[in-house]
Amino acid sequence: MKKIHITAPAKINLCLEVIKKYENGFHEIRSVMLKSQHIFDHIDVVFENEHDDIIISCDYEGVPTDEANICHKIATKYFEKIGKRVGLNITIVKSIPPLTGIGGGSSDGASVLLAIDEYFGFQLNENEMVAIAAEVGRDIPFFLQDAFAAKVGGAGEKVESIMNFPHVPILIVCPGGEIATPWAYGQLDEKLWFMNDEKRENMTENLAKIHTLDDMVPYIYNDFAFVAEEKYPVIKEIQLAMRSFGARAVSISGKGPTVFGIYDNVDTVQKAQKIMQKKYPDMFISRY
């Protein structure tokens, strides 16, 4: 029996553009994504030789613990790829609210995939790992790379690390509620009339080249913003409050409903956090 403990960080999309729908139903995106320095799920993976079942437990009500769980799916894909199995007991302690646009399930899946590959002596190369990850979840490949920031393209499988991307103070507020990925993309297919327009400015490419907070601000953008705001109008209220208390830029992460604000310094973001926590005591609020 061997046990590996892993931390699975949250993510935010500083910029997220949906630019095409593929014939297979997936969408081509452009995004700059950051890993959190403060928000993590904690996962223990115990490898068992007495059985070859995948057993999952989670402390967050509503997270599936059967074959529908991303960790179960990705472990199964890995075993199929290498032609071997081992028993897994996976315990997930959640800090990242599910289905809120900050990558909890995807990060968990990537972390379990890395742990299993470590157990088997790193049998798969980077391309093989990305292929497994992309088949299970389109955000998962991002979490396989080490860099803090990355430019993501394709349907999520193309990940290019961004070196020396500036670290800036970020506050996130999750107003509660969930936005399912199929529904969100369906809304864009119906309403985002300029999705396929080649004349669109490449916000992601511009953002990936910046060096300062001032350079960053104009390129904080998300195509899902209007969809999320229609479903959860409180998003606009939170964004206005963030701006009122010093945020230089605000947006949503992923498909939402999580809102984030970017601040000039730690002192300003800490003051904003205290104010927001007092106003919204039931919401998940954290420095990023």
Side-chain angles (χ1 to χ4, degrees):
M1 183 180 75
K2 180 178 180 179
K3 178 179 178 180
I4 297 178
H5 177 78
I6 39 183
T7 54
K11 61 88 177 170
I12 60 170
N13 303 82
L14 287 182
C15 180
L16 177 54
E17 304 167 279
V18 182
I19 59 174
K20 183 190 300 183
K21 184 176 182 179
Y22 295 128
E23 291 183 0
N24 64 6
F26 288 108
H27 292 74
E28 182 177 353
I29 66 165
R30 297 192 295 243
S31 184
V32 170
M33 298 169 64
L34 305 182
K35 289 181 182 176
S36 175
Q37 309 295 297
H38 297 281
I39 309 169
F40 302 88
D41 287 347
H42 291 268
I43 304 173
D44 287 320
V45 183
V46 178
F47 298 85
E48 301 276 5
N49 295 318
E50 289 75 17
H51 65 82
D52 62 1
D53 297 326
I54 301 171
I55 302 170
I56 299 174
S57 62
C58 181
D59 68 336
Y60 198 102
E61 185 177 356
V63 172
T65 55
D66 56 7
E67 291 84 355
N69 187 283
I70 286 179
C71 298
H72 193 292
K73 292 178 181 179
I74 210 158
T76 300
K77 292 290 183 183
Y78 186 92
F79 294 153
E80 291 173 353
K81 177 67 176 179
I82 68 170
K84 302 176 185 177
R85 287 187 68 93
V86 67
L88 299 177
N89 285 292
I90 302 171
T91 303
I92 305 169
V93 178
K94 296 289 292 179
S95 294
I96 307 170
L99 297 176
T100 55
I102 54 176
S106 296
S107 186
D108 294 349
S111 297
V112 167
L113 178 59
L114 290 168
I116 297 172
D117 195 49
E118 177 184 339
Y119 176 82
F120 281 103
F122 304 103
Q123 291 204 7
L124 301 186
N125 62 38
E126 181 179 353
N127 290 337
E128 290 171 323
M129 293 282 279
V130 168
I132 290 174
E135 191 173 350
V136 175
R138 295 295 162 163
D139 280 343
I140 299 177
F142 165 72
F143 291 103
L144 295 179
Q145 52 88 41
D146 293 329
F148 157 70
K151 183 172 64 174
V152 179
E157 78 282 0
K158 298 178 181 178
V159 181
E160 180 182 342
S161 298
I162 304 173
M163 307 309 295
N164 302 316
F165 196 83
H167 288 251
V168 294
I170 297 174
L171 180 67
I172 69 165
V173 177
C174 180
E178 301 172 347
I179 296 181
T181 299
W183 178 85
Y185 275 104
Q187 291 293 299
L188 290 193
D189 291 338
E190 179 182 340
K191 300 176 181 178
L192 192 67
W193 58 268
F194 53 86
M195 180 187 294
N196 298 319
D197 195 324
E198 295 180 357
K199 296 179 181 178
R200 292 184 66 178
E201 182 176 3
N202 191 330
M203 305 283 278
T204 295
E205 189 64 33
N206 292 335
L207 181 57
K209 296 175 181 177
I210 63 95
H211 299 288
T212 68
L213 173 57
D214 288 338
D215 296 335
M216 183 186 300
V217 169
Y219 304 115
I220 303 302
Y221 175 85
N222 193 316
D223 274 337
F224 286 103
F226 76 96
V227 172
E229 290 166 6
E230 286 180 359
K231 188 174 179 66
Y232 295 107
V234 72
I235 288 173
K236 290 184 178 180
E237 176 185 319
I238 294 169
Q239 290 177 336
L240 286 172
M242 283 183 167
R243 288 190 182 277
S244 295
F245 297 110
R248 294 285 304 279
V250 297
S251 188
I252 64 166
S253 180
K255 60 196 179 305
T258 296
V259 182
F260 69 87
I262 299 173
Y263 293 78
D264 281 312
N265 53 65
V266 172
D267 183 59
T268 304
V269 77
Q270 287 177 336
K271 289 179 180 177
Q273 181 177 1
K274 290 180 181 178
I275 293 168
M276 301 292 278
Q277 285 174 330
K278 185 176 181 180
K279 172 62 179 176
Y280 304 112
D282 297 328
M283 295 185 184
F284 178 82
I285 300 174
S286 177
R287 281 183 56 204
Y288 193 76

